[in-house]
Amino acid sequence: MASEDKFESVLSTRYCKNSPLVSILSETNKATLWRQLWIWLAEAEKELGLKQVTQEAIDEMKNQKNTFDWPFIRSEERKLKHDVMAHNHAFGKICPSAAGIIHLGATSCFVQDNADLIAYRDSIDHILKRFATVIDRLAAFSLQNKEVVTVGRTHYQTASLVTVGKRGVLWAQELLMAFQSLSEFRDKMRFRGIKGATGTQDSFLTLFNGDEEKVEALDELVTKKANFAKRFLITGQTYSRQQDSQLVFSLSLLGAAAKKVCTDIRVLQAFGELLEPFEKDQIGSSAMPYKKNPMKSERCCALARKLINAPQEALTILADQGLERTLDDSAGRRMLIPDVLLTAEALLTTLQNIFEGLTVQTDNVKKIVDDEIAFLGLEKAMMMLTEEGVDRQQAHAVIRKTALEAKQLQATQKVDIRQTMADPFFDSVRDRVVGLVNNPINFTGRCVSQTENFIEKELKPTISKYLDQSAAKVQLDV
């Protein structure tokens, strides 16, 4: 059946079809990891003196690790209603010398949980690299526009001037904090290890004739082979699903930060100040051919909502895990965690494309600044007047009256700062204010140095571990 004739996830077929995550989270990779875990377990058991595990059996498993008889596996699972045992039988069938020691002492969660953790770790490593590239691209945009003066906005209304670059690093800071959360989670991830059916390690204690030190060494050895620095010292049948919740929450922070950034871009595109990349043959509207809609930022907002809402399900999975283990978590985790990882990848890929092509509509930005500069000059006038001994509250009252009168004129004519400050009250500061108004960068405070300092002192050191300087630009298929 052609793929177009059946439903498939839009994450894997539309937004992430070229991503390595599609392979990392695939059924084949999961099954390969299960077999690798069986090999590591057998190796560790042999290294610790378990005589029933032979080198011949280990070599056979290694040689057949990537040989899959999927029709047989599916047939076994239909019959047994147990995916791990179906794979166990299939692996034993092609590894007759190892059939008796595959999965020795283990429970299903030995392969299920540990393989999931390896796949999550590998996915996170890729996402952090993508994330670092996204932040780096935004930093480049911010530096390029660090001196481009624009109108600041509070409550979506005109406020003191800022620069486009300073606004960019505000966005970068939100994304960087989410990046740090995910990076810290990656560093603290714990492996389940070998714990047995209810977490007591009793089966392994039996295999090693009650030798607790060997069981502890076995747990450490398998953890080391899987390249994890940390492991859970205690578990039930599964590792704590709170760790999954922490992963999902870190990705939800990415969603919230990205939604804030992309909502801002959409608003600024509506104001005519920014323009997200619009490709040569791209169509904005089937009905209105002239339109350039911010569809990439809109897509990011839609994907972000999925991430923002995901923690509720993760917390429910954690809360519903009964005693040493129930299957309340199983179906939900199979869907939730791959989905949030792929959603994060789709979001970051689109965001990278936006930052690589985001342009400032400089003529319109300048026009908006020119329209508002007179009012911002009055704010400077208040500071200057107080320096000369004028009561701050008196200055505020006069400037408020002057500004509101000028606002009424703004709808029909350009507001001139000298005319606005014609009142003799401003005689002592008028010329100084007019001089400043002629160069709007004077109204942006430390925007330029703040932009440079944040990028050099905080952003670059934080992302350096994962940043690939040769990362290619993103070309979106859809």
Side-chain angles (χ1 to χ4, degrees):
M1 183 185 294
S3 61
E4 290 79 9
D5 294 329
K6 60 182 180 180
F7 172 78
E8 294 179 312
S9 167
V10 294
L11 288 169
S12 59
T13 61
R14 183 175 176 85
Y15 300 131
C16 299
K17 64 181 179 181
N18 298 317
S19 169
L21 263 62
V22 175
S23 296
I24 292 171
L25 298 169
S26 70
E27 195 72 7
T28 296
N29 189 52
K30 180 178 78 173
T32 304
L33 288 172
W34 286 5
R35 292 182 176 186
Q36 184 60 65
L37 283 157
W38 282 326
I39 292 168
W40 285 332
L41 177 61
E43 287 178 336
E45 289 172 334
K46 183 176 185 301
E47 288 168 27
L48 290 168
L50 210 60
K51 303 224 179 288
Q52 55 264 55
V53 180
T54 65
Q55 190 60 48
E56 179 188 2
I58 293 171
D59 290 342
E60 190 174 54
M61 286 193 287
K62 286 181 176 179
N63 290 334
Q64 296 295 331
K65 185 179 80 170
N66 297 311
T67 303
F68 291 99
D69 183 349
W70 285 107
F72 178 77
I73 293 169
R74 297 304 182 208
S75 173
E76 285 294 284
E77 187 170 356
R78 277 193 300 272
K79 180 174 66 176
L80 303 173
K81 302 297 185 286
H82 198 292
D83 53 354
V84 174
M85 288 306 298
H87 279 270
N88 190 326
H89 290 178
F91 202 26
K93 181 182 176 186
I94 57 174
C95 299
S97 298
I101 57 94
I102 293 171
H103 202 64
L104 185 60
T107 189
S108 298
C109 283
F110 167 69
V111 290
Q112 290 172 322
D113 275 17
N114 287 322
D116 284 348
L117 288 168
I118 294 168
Y120 299 163
R121 179 193 63 194
D122 294 348
S123 297
I124 293 166
D125 285 344
H126 170 78
I127 288 171
L128 284 168
K129 289 176 185 176
R130 172 77 71 190
F131 207 159
T133 300
V134 168
I135 293 171
D136 181 66
R137 298 293 195 263
L138 179 53
F141 170 85
S142 300
L143 284 173
Q144 182 182 348
N145 294 285
K146 65 183 179 182
E147 296 181 358
V148 177
V149 180
T150 189
V151 170
R153 298 186 187 275
T154 57
H155 312 277
Y156 292 109
Q157 308 303 308
T158 301
S160 302
L161 295 182
V162 297
T163 68
V164 174
K166 170 61 189 300
R167 184 177 279 150
V169 291
L170 284 176
W171 294 341
Q173 180 172 248
E174 298 295 347
L175 292 169
L176 191 67
M177 291 170 73
F179 175 91
Q180 288 171 305
S181 176
L182 185 60
S183 177
E184 288 167 6
F185 172 83
R186 167 65 177 83
D187 291 341
K188 293 176 181 177
M189 275 186 81
R190 287 186 282 177
F191 195 60
R192 176 191 179 274
I194 58 105
K195 298 297 192 292
T198 57
T200 66
Q201 298 178 307
D202 181 64
S203 56
F204 296 105
L205 205 58
T206 301
L207 286 173
F208 287 101
N209 299 314
D211 190 333
E212 287 199 34
E213 289 186 2
K214 282 197 172 181
V215 174
E216 184 71 5
L218 181 68
D219 205 355
E220 290 178 355
L221 196 51
V222 174
T223 300
K224 185 177 180 180
K225 288 175 181 290
N227 200 26
F228 274 80
K230 300 179 179 69
R231 62 189 166 96
F232 284 94
L233 295 181
I234 59 168
T235 70
Q237 188 173 100
T238 69
Y239 68 85
S240 169
R241 297 318 187 206
Q242 191 165 156
Q243 181 165 267
D244 293 345
S245 297
Q246 291 165 348
L247 167 59
V248 173
F249 181 72
S250 292
L251 294 172
S252 76
L253 288 176
L254 160 62
K259 190 171 188 298
K260 181 266 188 295
V261 173
C262 289
T263 299
D264 282 357
I265 292 172
R266 292 165 65 183
V267 168
L268 293 170
Q269 183 155 328
F271 286 157
E273 297 184 27
L274 291 181
L275 186 65
E276 72 169 35
F278 194 87
E279 297 174 23
K280 178 177 175 289
D281 296 319
Q282 184 174 334
I283 294 174
S285 168
S286 61
M288 296 165 280
Y290 54 86
K291 293 195 76 179
K292 288 186 175 181
N293 297 328
M295 53 81 67
K296 295 172 183 177
S297 295
E298 290 170 325
R299 176 187 298 169
C300 285
C301 288
L303 293 166
R305 280 195 299 273
K306 297 290 289 183
L307 294 179
I308 291 167
N309 291 324
Q312 181 63 50
E313 185 175 354
L315 292 171
T316 302
I317 289 170
L318 164 63
D320 287 343
Q321 181 74 312
L323 301 173
E324 280 67 47
R325 201 271 160 94
T326 60
L327 275 177
D328 293 85
D329 65 330
S330 180
R333 288 180 71 255
R334 288 172 192 255
M335 294 182 286
L336 174 65
I337 300 179
D339 275 2
V340 296
L341 291 167
L342 287 168
T343 301
E345 168 77 341
L347 173 57
L348 287 168
T349 302
T350 310
L351 205 53
Q352 182 179 334
N353 179 263
I354 292 171
F355 292 150
E356 288 172 345
L358 189 63
T359 55
V360 182
Q361 305 295 85
T362 51
D363 290 344
N364 203 40
V365 167
K366 184 178 184 303
K367 178 180 179 300
I368 295 169
V369 169
D370 288 344
D371 287 345
E372 301 296 339
I373 194 72
F375 302 99
L376 301 169
L378 291 172
E379 183 182 344
K380 288 279 190 185
M382 183 166 67
M383 299 300 105
M384 293 177 184
L385 286 164
T386 58
E387 287 174 3
E388 300 202 1
V390 177
D391 180 88
R392 192 265 182 200
Q393 307 312 325
Q394 180 190 8
H396 184 278
V398 173
I399 288 172
R400 177 179 178 276
K401 178 176 179 294
T402 301
L404 292 176
E405 289 172 352
K407 271 290 181 187
Q408 289 182 324
L409 296 174
Q410 191 180 32
T412 57
Q413 65 185 62
K414 181 177 175 61
V415 176
D416 178 76
I417 185 63
R418 193 173 287 278
Q419 291 177 349
T420 302
M421 298 178 68
D423 191 313
F425 182 78
F426 297 108
D427 283 352
S428 63
V429 299
R430 187 182 301 109
D431 289 343
R432 289 167 62 196
V433 172
V434 170
L436 289 173
V437 164
N438 289 333
N439 191 1
I441 195 73
N442 291 321
F443 291 81
T444 61
R446 296 187 60 224
C447 279
V448 174
S449 61
Q450 285 178 344
T451 300
E452 294 170 338
N453 288 344
F454 174 76
I455 290 173
E456 290 302 318
K457 294 180 179 180
E458 186 168 350
L459 185 151
K460 286 185 176 180
T462 302
I463 65 173
S464 60
K465 177 181 176 180
Y466 288 98
L467 181 61
D468 178 4
Q469 296 286 0
S470 64
K473 287 188 174 183
V474 164
Q475 298 295 325
L476 298 179
D477 289 335
V478 292

